[in-house]
């Protein structure tokens, strides 16, 4: 009774893992959750106030499908000033979440039989969206000893390749790409006339390395589709607010999909987005500072137990090699069933992740310490 295209898409592995932990919590079991792909902080008050004010003054009706002018202008200004992009308000599309933006991009630019390059490991929904569009993902290996940076990219480009997907900072690894790596990706894209989807949702959550937008590099302005949003930087996951900046022809296709599907992002939420970009950034800085401290606690603790992991340079995930104790799937089940610690198996993110697990440190320092003690009791 369902379409053949639906069979190409698997259930989200990260959501599935979170649901298993939720079921145990419902049974009264104290599960320490390292699955969360969202900040455990409240949305800053000035953002909530702006959205509430908009709602109560009557901003509860349809907006233009591309978004309210105030937000599109603020996004374009942000992209020009912070990211060095030649962004125009007319080419900014506001979406109900960055995930929806990525889905629309895949459906808009990929066709049957075409290929899109993913760096292994990669966020689970990229592959699902690529397959749903009728295209095939092609996995390029990365180096765990060097920030999970990709290598031998050119060997995986064929006459069917249409797009390269870049996610820096990266989910699940926390890797932040050096300029030389981005330059290599850009050179391949230019030489083979490829598009690049640059998912920059974690751009503000970085530590030792600086985030660089590949779309700002020479020759990349018109071939880069930049995706971002408010979920991670401003703790607004439930608000479902993202955006895309793309060349005019691609923008028109994305707008066509949005107009005929979700219509647009929630009206009063968009006014919250304006406040996020134009208001104080102190809550972002404070959140990142706390994430930095948690990262160090978690990585040091995991390494002392016997896992192998480097300190990630961005996002709020640790991708830990657990091969000294078993494969990632086995350890994931063991930790949940015996230690009541919920993590995500690395195999969810690609073939290379089989010996890894992903842990999110979007939880308190106290719970991180307690989780490490439980893990050590089982495996140490």
């Amino acid at each position: 009774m369902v379409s053949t295209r639906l069979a190409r898409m698997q259930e989200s592995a990260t959501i599935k893992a979170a649901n298993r932990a939720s079921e145990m919590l419902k049974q009264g079991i104290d599960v320490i959750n390292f699955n969360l792909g969202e900040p455990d902080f409240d949305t800053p008050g000035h953002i909530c106030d702006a959205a509430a004010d908009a709602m109560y003054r009557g901003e509860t009706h349809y907006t233009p499908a591309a978004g309210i002018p105030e937000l599109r202008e603020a996004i374009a200004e942000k992209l020009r000033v912070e990211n060095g992009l030649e962004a125009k308000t007319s080419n900014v599309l506001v979406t109900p979440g960055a995930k929806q933006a990525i889905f629309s991009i895949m459906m808009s630019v990929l066709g049957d039989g075409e290929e899109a390059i993913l760096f292994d490991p990669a966020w689970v929904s990229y592959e699902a969206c690529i397959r749903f569009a009728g295209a095939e993902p092609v996995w390029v290996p990365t180096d765990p000893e060097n920030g999970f940076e990709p290598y031998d990219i050119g060997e995986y480009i064929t006459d069917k390749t249409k797009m390269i997907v870049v996610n820096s900072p990266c989910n699940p690894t926390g890797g932040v790409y050096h300029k030389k790596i981005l330059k290599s990706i850009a050179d391949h894209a230019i030489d083979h006339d490829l598009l690049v989807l640059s998912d920059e949702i974690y751009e503000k959550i970085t530590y030792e390395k600086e985030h660089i937008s590949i779309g700002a590099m020479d020759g990349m302005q018109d071939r880069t589709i930049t995706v971002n949003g408010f979920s991670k930087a401003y703790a607004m996951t439930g608000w479902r607010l993202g955006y895309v900046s793309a060349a005019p022809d691609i923008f028109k296709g994305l707008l066509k999909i949005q107009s005929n599907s979700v219509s647009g992002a929630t009206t009063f939420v968009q006014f919250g987005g304006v406040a996020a970009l134009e208001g104080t950034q102190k809550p972002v800085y404070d959140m990142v500072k706390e994430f930095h401290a948690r990262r160090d606690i978690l990585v040091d603790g995991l390494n002392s137990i016997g896992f192998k992991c480097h300190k990630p340079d961005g996002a709020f995930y640790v991708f830990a090699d657990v091969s000294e104790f078993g494969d990632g799937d086995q350890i994931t089940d063991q930790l949940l069933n015996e230690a009541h610690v919920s993590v995500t198996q690395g195999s969810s993110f690609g073939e290379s992740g089989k010996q890894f697990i992903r842990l999110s440190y979007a939880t308190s320092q106290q719970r991180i310490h307690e989780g490490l003690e439980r893990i050590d009791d089982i495996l140490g």
Side-chain angles (χ1 to χ4, degrees):
M1 296 296 290
V2 299
S3 69
T4 55
R5 73 175 62 88
L6 191 61
R8 306 170 191 156
M9 182 182 290
Q10 301 297 317
E11 179 185 0
S12 170
T14 52
I15 293 177
K16 184 178 181 180
N19 287 342
R20 290 178 62 197
S22 295
E23 286 301 315
M24 294 181 73
L25 286 169
K26 290 178 182 177
Q27 298 169 22
I29 300 172
D30 179 28
V31 176
I32 296 178
N33 195 337
F34 288 119
N35 279 316
L36 295 177
E38 63 175 340
D40 58 317
F41 299 85
D42 292 333
T43 304
H46 69 283
I47 299 174
C48 296
D49 291 342
D53 290 345
M55 181 170 54
Y56 284 116
R57 70 170 177 265
E59 303 286 0
T60 57
H61 304 282
Y62 290 132
T63 70
I68 61 172
E70 299 94 322
L71 181 54
R72 296 176 71 199
E73 291 169 6
I75 291 169
E77 176 68 9
K78 181 263 181 208
L79 292 173
R80 288 191 293 266
V81 173
E82 295 186 7
N83 303 91
L85 303 180
E86 296 174 5
K88 297 180 179 178
T89 301
S90 58
N91 293 335
V92 169
L93 177 69
V94 179
T95 61
K99 183 182 284 190
Q100 177 66 33
I102 290 166
F103 179 84
S104 295
I105 290 165
M106 302 304 190
M107 295 300 294
S108 178
V109 306
L110 295 178
D112 291 342
E114 293 181 327
E115 296 174 349
I117 285 179
L118 297 176
F119 300 141
D120 189 5
W123 179 53
V124 294
S125 292
Y126 296 137
E127 179 181 9
C129 293
I130 290 167
R131 292 192 183 280
F132 194 78
E136 289 293 323
V138 174
W139 296 89
V140 170
T142 62
D143 182 4
E145 298 300 317
N146 194 27
F148 291 92
E149 291 182 340
Y151 58 92
D152 294 338
I153 299 171
E155 295 184 12
Y156 295 85
I157 296 174
T158 72
D159 57 0
K160 295 180 180 179
T161 308
K162 182 73 173 292
M163 172 190 288
I164 301 173
V165 178
V166 176
N167 177 213
S168 175
C170 174
N171 175 10
T173 69
V176 179
Y177 295 155
H178 282 291
K179 187 174 183 179
K180 66 179 181 179
I181 294 296
L182 294 174
K183 179 66 165 57
S184 174
I185 296 169
D187 288 344
H188 285 299
I190 293 168
D191 291 345
H192 296 276
D193 193 24
L194 306 177
L195 294 170
V196 170
L197 190 165
S198 183
D199 180 358
E200 304 184 9
I201 192 69
Y202 294 97
E203 66 158 342
K204 290 186 180 292
I205 306 175
T206 59
Y207 311 112
E208 285 78 17
K209 287 185 183 177
E210 176 188 6
H211 167 75
I212 299 172
S213 292
I214 192 171
M217 293 185 163
D218 291 343
M220 293 301 295
Q221 293 282 356
D222 289 336
R223 68 177 66 253
T224 302
I225 309 168
T226 300
V227 177
N228 209 324
F230 297 81
S231 295
K232 314 302 183 181
Y234 299 100
M236 295 173 64
T237 52
W239 295 61
R240 310 313 305 134
L241 189 62
Y243 57 87
V244 185
S245 175
D249 56 337
I250 296 174
F251 170 85
K252 290 177 183 177
L254 297 174
L255 181 59
K256 184 184 296 185
I257 289 177
Q258 180 145 303
S259 300
N260 286 287
S261 57
V262 296
S263 296
T266 302
T267 304
F268 50 86
V269 163
Q270 295 187 52
F271 286 94
V274 175
L277 293 178
E278 296 184 347
T280 177
Q281 301 299 299
K282 187 177 184 301
V284 180
Y285 302 142
D286 292 343
M287 181 179 71
V288 173
K289 182 178 179 181
E290 174 62 18
F291 277 144
H292 195 162
R294 294 177 183 179
R295 180 203 68 170
D296 292 349
I297 293 169
L298 182 57
V299 171
D300 291 345
L302 292 174
N303 283 322
S304 70
I305 291 169
F307 293 176
K308 294 182 290 186
C309 54
H310 299 284
K311 289 182 178 178
D313 293 303
F316 40 77
Y317 308 106
V318 170
F319 207 55
D321 183 341
V322 298
S323 56
E324 291 293 320
F325 302 92
D327 66 37
D329 289 5
Q330 173 193 335
I331 297 303
T332 296
D333 289 339
Q334 185 178 3
L335 291 180
L336 182 61
N337 295 328
E338 298 180 24
H340 300 154
V341 171
S342 180
V343 302
T344 307
Q345 65 267 31
S347 60
S348 302
F349 303 96
E351 185 72 20
S352 72
K354 286 186 176 181
Q355 65 185 25
F356 291 83
I357 60 173
R358 190 196 75 173
L359 302 94
S360 164
Y361 44 95
T363 190
S364 70
Q365 293 188 28
Q366 177 183 345
R367 293 294 271 178
I368 291 172
H369 282 296
E370 187 176 348
L372 287 168
E373 290 176 4
R374 293 190 189 184
I375 296 171
D376 192 31
D377 287 343
I378 297 298
L379 301 176

